[in-house]
Amino acid sequence: MDTLNQIILALKVAVIPAGVLFRVVYCFIKMVYDEEASASYKKKIKNTIIFGIMSELCFVIKDLIVSYY
């Protein structure tokens, strides 16, 4: 169980936020060089930010449930 908690902590603290950050930076760079497709990159950035918020929300709910029980 301790190993599983360490994996969850690593995902929560480092992997998911870093992935969201790199995806947003990548889309911004692609948007600068391909102005015709900027609308699709804006949509991808929005979806990436929504994913980051939803993943953090899942971890918060998990922590609340664990602390309650």
Side-chain angles (χ1 to χ4, degrees):
M1 191 68 177
D2 190 43
T3 305
L4 185 61
N5 286 333
Q6 289 177 352
I7 292 171
I8 291 172
L9 183 64
L11 284 173
K12 184 172 137 179
V13 173
V15 176
I16 292 177
V20 168
L21 179 68
F22 287 135
R23 175 73 174 172
V24 169
V25 169
Y26 173 77
C27 287
F28 273 129
I29 291 171
K30 293 291 281 187
M31 195 167 49
V32 167
Y33 291 114
D34 189 11
E35 294 179 3
E36 295 175 359
S38 67
S40 68
Y41 286 117
K42 286 180 184 176
K43 186 176 179 183
K44 290 177 185 179
I45 290 170
K46 183 184 91 168
N47 289 339
T48 304
I49 292 172
I50 289 172
F51 166 76
I53 292 170
M54 293 298 289
S55 66
E56 290 297 322
L57 183 63
C58 288
F59 288 123
V60 168
I61 291 172
K62 181 204 89 68
D63 290 340
L64 285 173
I65 290 171
V66 167
S67 68
Y68 183 74
Y69 293 108

